[in-house]
Amino acid sequence: MALQTLRKGASGWIAKIFLVVLMLSFAVWGIADVFRGFGNSTVASVGGTDISANDFRARYLEQVQQIGRQTGRGLSPEQARAIGLDRQVLNQMIADATLSAEAKRLGLAVSDQQVADAVAANPAYRRPGASAFDPAYFAQLLRSNSLTEPRFVQMERARMLRDQMIQSLGTGLAVPSVLVDAVHRYESEARDAAYILVTADAVGALPAPTEDELRAFYEAHKITFRAPEYRKVSVLALTPDALAAHIKIGEEDARAVYDREQVRFGTPERREVRQIVFSKAEDAAAAADKIKAGASFSDIAAERGLKPSDTDLGLVTKASILDPKIAEVAFLIEPGSTGAPIEGRFGFALVNVTRAEPASRKPFDEVKGEIETELALAKARRELLDQHDAIEDERASGSTLGEIAKKLSLNLAVIDAVDRSGRAPDGKEVDIPARTEVVAGAFASQPGVETDTIQLPGNGGFVWFQTDAIIPARDRTFDEARPQVEARAREEAVAKAVETKAQALFDQAKSGTALAQVAGGADLPLKVAEGLQRGRAAPPFSVEAIAEVFAAKEGGVGMVAAAEAPDRIVFQVSKITVPPEGPQDQQVAAQLSAQMENDLLVQYLGALQQQLGVTVNQRVLSQSVGGGAGI
C-alpha cells in the first residue's frame, strides 16, 4: 500500500495519458520481431539502457497483487499471462527506458533541489491530514517499501525527466473547430423523415405458383431443402416421476396422512374478533359490568374515543392472533358475546366475537389421488440411488438400455430421428430430459459406443442414452420438400412484389412527385418519423435504414429495407436539426485533445524505438513470470 502511495505521488494527468498510451503502443510498434536471448539478468534493452529481471519481476508482482486486491481474489501466473499482464508491464518499462535513454542523449537533467522541492510540495508524501512535509514520515514510507533515499531520488529524477519530455511534445493541443463541429453534428444531429411503408398487405394476394414454377424453384434452391443428418437415439430417464409411476400406494397409507394433516386438507375456523385494551384492571372490569348491564361493545369503544378500526382484528384464524390468551378467549366464547376481562400481552382486554365461520375439510376421496402421488414421489426419491446403482451394474455386465429397461420395468424412449438442434423431422423439439446434453452426446458418439451418464440438476435423477443409428444428410425429393418449397416460393414472391412496388414508388418520388401524392396514388398512408438519431433503431426503421436516412440530403429520397422483412420503406428527409453546442461539446473537445496527444506520443515512442533499437530476452521474461525456460 505504501508503494502505491509513492506511485500515486508521481501521478498526474500527464502520467495518466502516458499509461493509456503504454497500454496501446505495444501493439502499435511491437517488438515481436526482435525477441532473442542475450543474458541471464536482463529482460530487455533499449539502446544502451538495460531493464533488469529483478526490476521487471518486482513491478510485475506489484501489478499482480494490485489486481488481486481490486478483485478480491488471487491472480495465478497462468491467469496473469492469459490477460497479457507480463507484456503490459514490460511495455511500460520499455517506454520508461526509451524516454530515459532519449533524455540522456539530449543532455537533459533535473537537479537534486528540484526533486526535493517536488517531493516536499506533494501532499501524497505527507501524513494524512498534515499540511507540511514530514521527513520522518517520508523516511518511514521509504523503509516500508525497501527503498533508500538515493534510490528514490534517482527514480523520481527519471520520472520528472520523462514528464518534461512528454510536456515538450505539446500538451493541451487545440482541437480544430472543424473537427469539433463535425463530431457535434455527428453525435447530436436529428432528422425527421416522411415515409411510406410497403408491406405484404400492400401488394395484395398473389396467384399460387404453378407446378412448373415450384419444381423450378426447388431445383434452383435444392440445397436449402436438404435433409440434415439425423441420429436414432434410445434414452433411459431415471427420474422420481418415472419411478413413481410404477409405485403403488395403499389406501391405508394415504388415509393416515389425511388424518395426521387435517389442517392441510381443510379450512380452519375463522372468527370476526374485536378487542379493547385497558391499562388498568379496574377499568376493564367496569367496562365488563356496563356490558352486563346492557351496554354494547361498540358503546364502550365510543366512550373511550376508539374508532372501529382501532378495535377490529378482522376475520381471523386462531393461529393468526398474536396474543395466545386473546386467541383462546376469542375461540371459546359464543359468537355475538363478549368475554370476561383478561390480562394479555399489552394490558387488560375485553374480547368480542361478532360472527364465526366454521372449519371445513375436503373429503378423503377428493384428495386421495394427491396424497398417493406425493407418497409415491417421496418413495421414488428414496429409491433413486438404488435404481441408479442397479442400472450401472447391468451396464457393466453388457446389457443394452433396452434390456435394462425391460428388466427393471422402466420406460425406454426411442427417438427415430433427431437433428443437431434437437428437432424431429416435423420440426418439433423432441421431449426428453436433458435434451441439449443428450443430442450433443448422440452426435459426438457412434452406434454401439457406451456414453457417459447425465445427472439432472437438483437431484432430479439420471439419464442414459445410446446412439442406435446414423441417418446421413441427403437431398429431399420434390414431393418430400413440397410444403417447404411452396412456403419458400410464396415468401420469395411476396418479397419480390413488395420490392417491385416500393421501387416504383421510389422512382416516382425521385422524379419529383411529392411523396404525399405518391402515397395517395398507391392508397397507402404517409407517415412521419420525428427525431431520428444516428445509430438508433426506431421501428420500422432499423439501424441500417437509419444510416441511409442520414446519408441523404435534406429533401432527398431513398428506399431501404424495414426492420421486419419483407417490408420496404420509401422515405424523404423532411427536416435536419442540429442543436447548438453545449457543455458536452467542451468535454468532447477535451477528449479529442487527449486522443491527439496520445497519438502524438505513440508516434514519438515509435520513432525513438526505431532509432534506439529494442531487444527482449524471451527466455528471461518467461522465467520471470513463472513460464518455465521459455523458447
Side-chain angles (χ1 to χ4, degrees), residues 233-267:
V233 184
S234 294
V235 180
L236 178 59
L238 181 67
T239 64
D241 288 332
L243 286 179
H246 301 282
I247 296 176
K248 301 298 182 183
I249 300 297
E251 182 174 325
E252 63 278 7
D253 294 329
R255 185 169 289 279
V257 173
Y258 178 76
D259 293 337
R260 185 173 61 250
E261 302 179 18
Q262 295 184 20
V263 176
R264 175 184 167 195
F265 301 108
T267 302

Side-chain angles (χ1 to χ4, degrees), residues 233 235 420-422 430 432-445 451-457 463-467:
V233 184
V235 180
R420 291 181 183 273
S421 66
V430 296
I432 53 173
R435 181 180 63 245
T436 301
E437 293 85 352
V438 168
V439 171
F443 275 86
S445 64
T451 57
D452 294 333
T453 306
I454 299 173
Q455 184 171 357
L456 298 175
V463 176
W464 293 265
F465 69 93
Q466 64 186 29
T467 301

Side-chain angles (χ1 to χ4, degrees), residues 209-222 224-226 476-493:
T210 65
E211 184 75 8
D212 290 340
E213 289 173 338
L214 287 176
R215 289 186 178 276
F217 187 86
Y218 165 76
E219 292 296 334
H221 304 83
K222 203 170 189 176
T224 63
F225 303 112
R226 184 176 173 82
R476 290 191 178 99
T477 65
F478 173 75
D479 290 335
E480 286 180 293
R482 187 182 186 96
Q484 292 91 338
V485 173
E486 288 182 348
R488 289 287 304 278
R490 288 179 182 275
E491 289 176 3
E492 188 166 306

Side-chain angles (χ1 to χ4, degrees), residues 180 184 188 579-589:
V180 176
H184 168 74
S188 60
E581 294 185 4
Q584 67 275 11
D585 295 288
Q586 298 177 1
Q587 297 176 4
V588 170

Side-chain angles (χ1 to χ4, degrees), residues 271 273 321 325-334 351-353:
R271 292 192 168 199
V273 180
I321 299 178
K325 291 184 178 180
I326 299 294
E328 189 66 30
V329 172
F331 280 81
L332 182 63
I333 63 177
E334 292 295 325
V351 178
N352 173 263
V353 176

